[in-house]
């Protein structure tokens, strides 16, 4: 019973197929015998064959080859013509199988039925058979092939839409991964850099608390202001997460002033016009911030930390110090800041070079000249 239910479901007969089957049943009736009501054994035999073949069309879509073979055998055994049922069977074959199989099915079935007609009726009915069945085959194959082509076209559109949906999903996942990396870098910039300066300010305030209370108070106030600025940056970053809008670059002058208060002798030098791209401004701001933070951490008693920004050609960012420190401090971590520099520069096709100088340390970042596309 399970196998029978599977076979019945495979045919998937619908109202259209039911109408076609009903038409085939009616077309196989001998109208003359019905009018005179003089049924013979041939009439009942033809009616039985026509009924079986017509009902077999319910499975024509799922099993076109077996149905066509059954129709050909039944047509050969029946005195009455089964041209309509045969045409429908050929349609199912043309609509559900490749053209090579359709050609083989049409040629083979016509050869069998033509031989049977010639042997039974001779040449008299053979020409009528060719005209009648040939027209049925041509019409059925053309309609079936057109349906198959349209079905394949629709399936191709569905597959293409599914592929585009998968590609869009993959692009969304890649964009989310890039955004997570950017957020991680920004969190590192906000937390690590600001905390570094706040710790330095607190240490300085403690050192001069007795000898210079006024200076100690200013350092503590500046550390508090820096903490509030860090909280504001964190809120802005969380706002970016909610609305998806990119944050703009920070104020270089204000950042440099903060590092000067922390005790770093920073000199800022610019040449050329600042880039107009907010994304590029943010990259430059974060690179300078990272370079100055590293100098604050590792450079011992530098007399000058130079930040040289050259916008006249390809953007050149050079951060140098003349400190004596060469041994990393305990808070180095895993060079995440330098890696963040490289990744940010790589977004715009740039490069980062960092290393020791004869005295001090140097960071050199090169970014291609911004164009309308990269902006």
């Amino acid at each position: 019973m399970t196998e029978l239910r599977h076979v019945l479901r495979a045919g998937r007969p619908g109202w259209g197929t039911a109408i076609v089957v009903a038409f085939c049943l009616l077309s196989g009736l001998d109208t003359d015998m019905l009018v005179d009501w003089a049924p013979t054994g041939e009439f009942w035999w033809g009616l039985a064959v026509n009924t079986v073949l017509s009902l077999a069309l319910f499975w024509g879509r799922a099993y076109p080859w077996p149905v066509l073979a059954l129709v050909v055998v039944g047509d050969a055994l029946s005195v009455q013509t089964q041209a309509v049922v045969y045409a429908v069977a050929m349609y199912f074959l043309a609509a559900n199988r490749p053209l090579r199989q359709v050609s083989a099915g049409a040629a083979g079935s016509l050869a069998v039925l033509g031989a049977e007609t010639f042997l039974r009726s001779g040449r008299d009915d053979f020409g009528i058979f060719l005209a009648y069945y040939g027209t049925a085959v041509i019409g059925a194959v053309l309609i079936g092939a057109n349906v198959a082509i349209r079905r394949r076209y629709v399936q191709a559109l569905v597959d293409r839409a599914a592929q585009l949906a998968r590609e869009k999903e993959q692009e969304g996942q890649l964009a989310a991964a890039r955004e997570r990396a950017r957020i991680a870098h920004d969190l590192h910039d906000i937390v690590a850099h600001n905390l570094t300066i706040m710790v330095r300010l607190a240490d300085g305030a403690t050192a001069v608390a007795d000898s210079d209370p006024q200076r100690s108070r200013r350092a503590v106030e500046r550390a508090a202001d820096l903490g509030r600025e860090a909280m504001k940056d964190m809120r802005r970053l969380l706002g970016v997460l909610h609305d998806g809008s990119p944050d703009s670059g920070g104020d270089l002058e204000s950042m440099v002033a903060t590092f000067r208060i922390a005790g770093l002798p920073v000199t800022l030098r610019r040449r050329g016009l600042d880039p107009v791209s907010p994304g590029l401004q943010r990259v430059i701001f974060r690179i300078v911030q990272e370079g100055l933070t590293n100098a604050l951490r590792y450079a011992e008693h530098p007399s000058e930390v130079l930040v040289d920004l050259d916008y006249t050609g390809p953007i050149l960012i050079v951060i140098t110090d003349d400190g004596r420190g060469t041994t990393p401090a305990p808070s180095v971590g895993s060079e995440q800041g330098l890696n963040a520099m490289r990744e940010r520069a790589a977004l715009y096709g740039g490069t980062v070079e960092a290393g020791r100088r004869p005295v001090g340390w140097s960071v050199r970042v090169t970014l291609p000249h911004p164009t309308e596309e990269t902006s």
Side-chain angles (χ1 to χ4, degrees):
M1 291 297 294
T2 302
E3 294 296 330
L4 179 59
R5 286 195 297 269
H6 175 73
V7 171
L8 292 173
R9 285 196 301 268
R12 292 192 180 140
W15 285 107
T17 305
I19 293 173
V20 171
V21 169
F23 177 76
C24 291
L25 285 171
L26 295 175
S27 67
L29 296 177
D30 190 335
T31 55
D32 293 336
M33 289 186 179
L34 289 177
V35 172
D36 298 336
W37 189 242
T40 62
E42 292 182 356
F43 171 80
W44 293 114
W45 172 250
L47 180 61
V49 171
N50 177 259
T51 301
V52 172
L53 299 184
S54 298
L55 293 177
L57 295 177
F58 276 118
W59 292 272
R61 182 177 290 107
Y63 307 102
W65 273 113
V67 170
L68 178 62
L70 180 63
V71 169
V72 171
V73 173
D75 197 347
L77 296 176
S78 176
V79 176
Q80 301 175 13
T81 178
Q82 305 292 338
V84 177
V85 180
Y86 171 70
V88 176
M90 280 302 307
Y91 160 79
F92 282 129
L93 184 68
N96 297 281
R97 291 296 181 268
L99 183 59
R100 182 178 300 178
Q101 295 186 25
V102 176
S103 301
S109 59
L110 286 177
V112 173
L113 294 176
E116 185 272 335
T117 301
F118 184 81
L119 292 175
R120 185 179 60 203
S121 304
R123 295 183 179 181
D124 296 337
D125 293 339
F126 189 71
I128 298 176
F129 164 81
L130 288 179
Y132 200 38
Y133 277 76
T135 302
V137 166
I138 292 174
V141 170
L142 288 178
I143 296 174
N146 181 63
V147 170
I149 291 173
R150 291 178 64 85
R151 185 183 301 151
R152 286 193 291 268
Y153 175 71
V154 172
Q155 186 61 42
L157 292 179
V158 172
D159 294 341
R160 178 58 178 165
Q163 181 182 358
L164 291 176
R166 288 192 298 269
E167 292 177 354
K168 184 177 181 180
E169 182 180 0
Q170 292 173 356
E171 291 176 359
Q173 293 174 352
L174 291 175
R178 289 192 295 266
E179 185 65 13
R180 284 194 296 269
R182 186 187 72 83
I183 292 172
H185 294 161
D186 287 346
L187 287 173
H188 172 268
D189 294 338
I190 293 172
V191 176
H193 299 168
N194 288 313
L195 283 179
T196 298
I197 300 175
M198 290 170 67
V199 169
R200 182 62 63 91
L201 289 172
D203 290 342
T206 302
V208 299
D210 297 330
S211 60
D212 193 347
Q214 188 66 23
R215 183 179 177 184
S216 175
R217 186 180 300 108
R218 287 197 302 269
V220 172
E221 291 173 353
R222 183 54 187 167
D225 292 340
L226 196 60
R228 283 188 287 270
E229 291 176 6
M231 291 297 295
K232 188 194 323 185
D233 289 340
M234 291 289 291
R235 293 191 188 98
R236 185 174 67 247
L237 181 59
L238 293 176
V240 170
L241 290 178
H242 285 295
D243 59 24
S245 59
D247 55 331
S248 59
D251 186 359
L252 283 174
E253 297 288 350
S254 177
M255 180 184 63
V256 168
T258 299
F259 277 97
R260 290 196 186 109
I261 294 175
L264 198 66
V266 184
T267 300
L268 178 62
R269 184 168 62 193
R270 301 185 186 184
R271 292 191 296 275
L273 298 177
D274 292 352
V276 296
S277 168
L280 195 55
Q281 292 177 7
R282 184 173 61 251
V283 168
I284 295 172
F285 179 86
R286 295 305 187 190
I287 288 175
V288 173
Q289 187 181 46
E290 180 65 41
L292 293 179
T293 301
N294 290 339
L296 184 62
R297 283 179 175 177
Y298 312 134
E300 294 183 6
H301 309 295
S303 61
E304 183 183 34
V305 178
L306 176 62
V307 178
D308 190 0
L309 305 177
D310 187 355
Y311 302 140
T312 57
I315 296 176
L316 184 62
I317 307 170
V318 180
I319 305 172
T320 57
D321 67 75
D322 55 1
R324 297 190 301 275
T326 57
T327 303
S331 61
V332 166
S334 58
E335 297 187 354
Q336 184 179 1
L338 190 57
N339 291 334
M341 276 191 189
R342 293 193 178 98
E343 292 181 11
R344 289 182 183 278
L347 291 176
Y348 289 85
T351 59
V352 177
E353 300 176 4
R356 295 188 183 91
R357 303 168 58 209
V359 178
W361 187 268
S362 173
V363 176
R364 181 185 181 92
V365 181
T366 304
L367 301 173
H369 187 72
T371 61
E372 181 178 354
E373 180 180 356
T374 58
S375 299

